[in-house]
Amino acid sequence: MKNVDKENKNSQIGKVEKTLNFKGEESLEQSPERDIHFAAKKKKHYEEVSRKFDKIDKSNYKTYVFYKSPKSSHFKNMFWAFVIGGLICVIGQAFIELYKALDFPAEKASALASSTLVLLAALFTGFGIYDLLGRFAGAGSTIPITGFSNAVVAPALEFRCEGMIYGLGAKMFLIAGPVIVNGVAVSVLIALLTLLFGGA
């Protein structure tokens, strides 16, 4: 029974590793010797943290959080956010030029290009492609048109099992709702100010 449980646990760990793209040498399915090695390494790490932060207060809390937080390459993240975000914008401009070439006026071409990007982002979110892009591009995937589409579709997919009304309908605007509310409120305020002080 224990062997079966261990095999099931190992297969589950293997699935997680595959999802997270672990390399072979980073595998969690270790031999007893490697388990001992990693346990000792973990113990050493905790001892080091304990020595550095034997008492946490206002003076060293920020340092403690910085020490414990996972490290990331800011320049690499900014580079890919710029490249992917810029690429999405280039694709949008390409759609505008395409619709102009099909004899649509400039204003309608822009609206059609925006609609096309919204549709593609919704489809890619549904197929799980946009989530992969978001993990890679970070803020570059949150540019207004496609990011907004993703923010509407992702919660709807996540809560669809709760039904059409309480799941999909209620949760669809969980993330995008505040943006819509504030956008409409600010638009009404600007319209009123324009009407009062901007003349006819």
Side-chain angles (χ1 to χ4, degrees), residues 19-34:
T19 305
L20 298 175
N21 294 321
F22 272 89
K23 295 177 184 175
E25 62 270 18
E26 296 172 335
S27 175
L28 298 177
E29 296 183 40
Q30 308 294 351
S31 63
E33 293 80 13
R34 297 199 68 170

Side-chain angles (χ1 to χ4, degrees), residues 45-54 64 67-68:
H45 172 73
Y46 280 125
E47 286 174 354
E48 185 182 343
V49 173
S50 299
R51 280 196 303 272
K52 281 191 174 185
F53 303 101
D54 57 340
Y64 174 75
Y67 188 86
K68 293 292 287 182

Side-chain angles (χ1 to χ4, degrees), residues 154-164 166-168 171-172 174:
L157 289 174
E158 184 178 350
F159 293 98
R160 69 187 183 278
C161 59
E162 295 182 19
M164 292 293 292
Y166 292 109
L168 194 144
K171 306 293 186 180
M172 183 181 288
L174 192 66

Side-chain angles (χ1 to χ4, degrees), residues 105-125:
E107 190 175 332
K108 286 189 177 181
S110 296
L112 284 168
S114 298
S115 301
T116 305
L117 287 176
V118 166
L119 175 63
L120 289 174
L123 288 173
F124 289 158
T125 300

Side-chain angles (χ1 to χ4, degrees), residues 117-195:
L117 287 176
V118 166
L119 175 63
L120 289 174
L123 288 173
F124 289 158
T125 300
F127 289 119
I129 298 170
Y130 206 90
D131 291 339
L132 297 175
L133 182 69
R135 289 193 196 102
F136 179 72
S141 64
T142 62
I143 62 170
I145 296 292
T146 55
F148 187 78
S149 177
N150 174 257
V152 172
V153 176
L157 289 174
E158 184 178 350
F159 293 98
R160 69 187 183 278
C161 59
E162 295 182 19
M164 292 293 292
I165 296 174
Y166 292 109
L168 194 144
K171 306 293 186 180
M172 183 181 288
F173 297 104
L174 192 66
I175 300 170
V179 179
I180 296 171
V181 170
N182 287 294
V184 170
V186 171
S187 300
V188 170
L189 180 62
I190 291 172
L192 288 172
L193 291 174
T194 304
L195 184 64

